[in-house]
Each structure stands twice: as structure tokens, then as C-alpha cells.
Amino acid sequence: MGEVNTKDSRLKIAVPKGALYPQSVELFAKAGLDVSGLDDPGRQLVFYNQGVEFYIVRPTDIPVFVSYGGVDCAICGKDSLVEAALEVVELADLGYGACRFVVAEPEQALGAAEDAYRRLGIMRIATKYPRITKEYYDREGVQVEIVKMHGNIELAPLCGMAERIVDITATGTTLRENNLVIVDEVLQSTARFVGNPASVRIDSRVRGLAEELAVLV
Amino acid sequence: MIPVTPRGFKDILPEEARWRESITMGVQKVLSSWGYAPIETPTLEVLEVLEQGGQLAKMPFRLFDADGALLVLRPDVTLPIARMVASRLEEITKPLRFRYVQSVFREEESLRAQSREFTQIGVESIGLSGAAADAEVILLLVEALKACGLRDFTVAFCTVGVLRDLLDACLRNGEVDDSWRSTVLAACHENNLVAVRRLADDARIDSRHAAALRGLLDVRGGREAIDACRRLVEPLGCVDGLDVLAQTYDIIDQLGAAEHVTVDFSVMSAFDYYTGLVFEAYAPGLGVPLGSGGRYDRMLEAYGTNAPAAGFAFGLERVMHALLEQDAAADVVTDSSVIEEVIIDVSNPIAAFQSAAELRRQGKPAVLVTTREDC
């Protein structure tokens, strides 16, 4: 069969920086990959190990690296995959890194958003995830103005700039600390093992790794 | 102001143009030697007419003309050819084989580093079906990619029949409704194996159907993969297209081209019009498919003509990227150093034209120069 020769090349894998990082490294180690140096990467972003190259990448950039063939495969949160909407092959649900996308509004202004929607026919939503937010409100049939922000979006409803936020939460602590109340759930997210569409078809190591990881989790 | 081109559109200067020309000519020679005739279709098509034939590739460019008609810049060439065949060649009495090299246009979001105009090289085989016809299309794609100079590439193929059969069986048994079926197809098109498995886990689905659906997209390999697929779906009677697929593989194998093909049931293209064979070609280091194709036996029916059809298209620019990745980019010989210069004497220009013509008759490229040009 037409298996492209991959004996001489190292498998390129992107690992998400941040919350998913420790478990991802642990999982790759369990799968028998050479994860030397990854435990304490310091400022180093690339590791050329035995048979494998690891790239430490910002979670939201992982879909780009995979889709454009920068790496063969990666671990990536479902949230980043949905928001990027790029072509990758979703191979396995790894189960960890569970979090959910929620709609929240300030406790002291409960109902103000509904009120604004009734009187003005519009609601303003602050979010770091405009695509997920738009898809959600399109499904709900609610007309909203979406404001893209880059961080600390809980500030937007607190100062009255937006009525609600759509954000990701694992435990709800940050929301509670800022007196925000969850009013709806948008989607659930967990870590996924994803592959570049071409690598999945021509490099059997990618599917092999997917099967191994699926068994381990 | 620096005069720029629109995003995703580019100029092609001689070095690149010569390389493109030499690849294109080489491929055309191969396609022509298999009996495929050249055709061209218009740059603009009527949107409604194209959509009649099947789902359009990604986002086409749309525009209104002075008559108020909604037009598209052709986003691919398969649908225009189906339209052409149905409108210009009503009765298909014998097989038709067409080849083309045409640019196609697709709208892309900003900041995604994507071209909006690219060149497709492809063929359409109309009026033929069966394993020999399917094998011809795949073998021709292999030959064409080789003619481009590519050494390392794989055509991954399967049939959509098995999945369709399986989903129909679930539907027939009343296990699920139509919306479940389209959700599964959408998940396949999105390459979302996690979602397909989750949909298979639906409590309403018969456990044997669920197991087959869960396993199907993971089936890949050589000839043994077709047998593995058969073991999965034969007890359920969902074997549509599998015999033809096996015969197709055997033809390719016996002709010595198996090193360039893989069976892979995860290759379900984003187009909804495939009815049997479906394939994508990949080269290492490219990250995106070189091209794709398959069988679409109902497409012409949508235009009122009944004939089976199959074909492929690949991107010239993608092949060139892959050649660079593989260090297989051939230097095109007709660079300026081998062009003979004939100095033109302003008092008697005729003589220079004549001696240049004589050189060209001997097969040597010749260019007229004045001494002034050297400075």
C-alpha cells in the first residue's frame, strides 16, 4: 500500500500551553513518546526529541498549526477548535480539561439584559469567542451585538459596557468572585487529539498515536 | 500609493510562469495520450444553474451583472462541465473524456493566508461506470502527478456507498430520523471522528449498526482494508460499492501502481455529490490535499441528462509547493542564457530579422537586440 516513508522524519506535535499542558505531557509520556525537557520547559518552545518534535503553542493557535500542516497532530481544547473553524481531523476525545461555555450576567443587574432586549430589541455580549457566541445566538434566534475582547471580559458587564458575557469556565470561581451569575450553557469542552488532514492519511503514526491515547484516557 | 493586487490574487513572473507552463504541458500530454480532449468553460456562471448540480465548493465570488442576474466566478470545473454536457451534448451515445486547465476562484476569510484564485488541472469521464472506469481515473491521477515530477504521494480512496447504506439501514429500521442521518454526514464531512463515534453511541441505534459506524472511518490500509470493511458491514447487508472498490484496487495493484494508493474510509469529501468512489491525493509536507475526485453518477441527472460520471482535479500551485518540499523542482531550461542574441543594425534591420529567423528554423530561440540595450 502507498505508505509514504516516514522513517527518517520526526513526528511533529503541538502541545497547548496553559491549563491542558501538564496532563498532555503526562499522556504523551504514557504513550511512550520521548518527552525529555517538557516537564520544565522554561522559555524553550521547541524540543527535538527521539522520533518526535514538540512545539509548545498557545491553545487558540493550535488549530492553525495543525490545519496548515505546521505540525502533524496536537492536543487541543474543543473550545479552540470550534472558535477557529479550520480543517483538522478530530481523532479522539481525551476527556480531561473539561470546561463549559456559559452565558453570564451581573447578579445585581439580573434581568437587565432581558429588559434591554425587550425595550431596545438588542443585547450586547462581550466575549473572547465571537464565532461560538454568534453560532449560539443564531441558534437561539436572539439578535445580539457581539464585542470581541481579549481578556478579563467579566469587566464588560460590571461597568455596563455589555449586558452579558459568553465565557469559558471550569469551576465558576472567577464568575462568582465578580458577582456574575450563569444564565445559560452554550457548549461543553474537553481536550481532543487532532491531526492534520494530510498527515492522518499518509503517516500511520498519527492514527496509531490516536488509538493509543484513546485507550490510555 | 503602492499599486497592490486584491488579497489572494497574484502576478506570475517569467521564472514561475515558465515552470507552470512546463508542468502543465507535461500533464496535458499524459491526459491527452489517454484520449482526453481539451475543453474550456466560461469564467462566469449563473449561480442558480450551478447549484442545481450540487453543493458549491466553499464560498464562491458572487456578482450581479447589468441584467440583474446573480453570477458566480467558477469555484470549480466539475459542475460547469456537467452543465455543459447536459446543455450542449444532450444525447450521450458514447463515453466522453475531457481534460482542462482552468483557474478557479473562491472567497476566503481575511488573514488566513489563502489564495482566492488558483489553477485546477483535471479530467471528467462521462458515460462510463464500473471498476475499470474507476481504476482509470485513479491511475490517470497517479500518472498525471508523476508527470508533474512528484515522487512521493498517495491517493487515499474509498467508497461512500458503504456509509450511505449503513445510514439508510438505520433509518429504515426506524432507529433514527433524517436529522440524525444528516448530522452524521456533516460530522464525516468535517473529519470529526469523535462526533461520528458519539452519534453512533445514540441509544436508539441497533448495536451492530453502531459498532459498524464506530469502526468504519478507522478502516485503512491496503487490499486487506477492503476485507476488513467487508467483515464490518457484510452481516448487515450494507455493502454498496464494496465489490467495485475491491476490483478497482486489484486493477491498480496488478498494474503496479499500488505503491501510490491507500484505502482509507475516513476520506469523505466536503462535497455531497459523490455516489461511489471518492479519493484525495496527498504529498508529505504539504498539509493540504493535492487534489481530489470521485464518482458522481447523479450529477448530470440534475441537469436532465442521464449518464454516470467521474473525475478528478488537482491544484497546480499545490503540486508546485509539494515539489519544492521534495526538492524535486526541476529547473526549466528555457532561461535567457540559451537564447541567441542577434544584433540589429538600425540602417539595415531586415538582415537581423532574417538571421534571427534562420536561427529559429534551426530550432534555436533568437532575440533581436540593439547594442544600446546592453547599457
Side-chain angles (χ1 to χ4, degrees), chain A residues 74-76 81 89-95 190-195 209-215 217, chain B residues 192-195 197-198:
Chain A
I75 288 175
C76 184
L81 290 175
V89 185
E90 208 174 306
L91 292 162
D93 185 346
L94 304 175
T190 45
R192 306 292 159 98
F193 182 64
V194 296
L209 187 53
E211 278 162 31
E212 220 160 318
L213 295 178
V215 172
V217 292
Chain B
N192 191 337
L193 276 54
V194 172
R197 282 184 217 119
R198 194 154 292 161

Side-chain angles (χ1 to χ4, degrees), chain A residues 9 53-54 65 74 93 116 135 155 159 162 200:
Chain A
S9 72
E53 282 172 25
F54 286 106
F65 278 79
D93 185 346
E135 276 175 16
L155 292 175
C159 65
V200 166

Side-chain angles (χ1 to χ4, degrees), chain B residues 46-68:
Chain B
V46 177
L47 175 65
E48 205 186 333
V49 173
L50 275 203
E51 280 180 337
Q52 199 181 321
Q55 187 189 320
L56 296 190
K58 281 203 173 161
M59 283 181 290
F61 275 91
R62 276 161 287 205
L63 59 120
F64 287 104
D65 68 4
D67 304 331

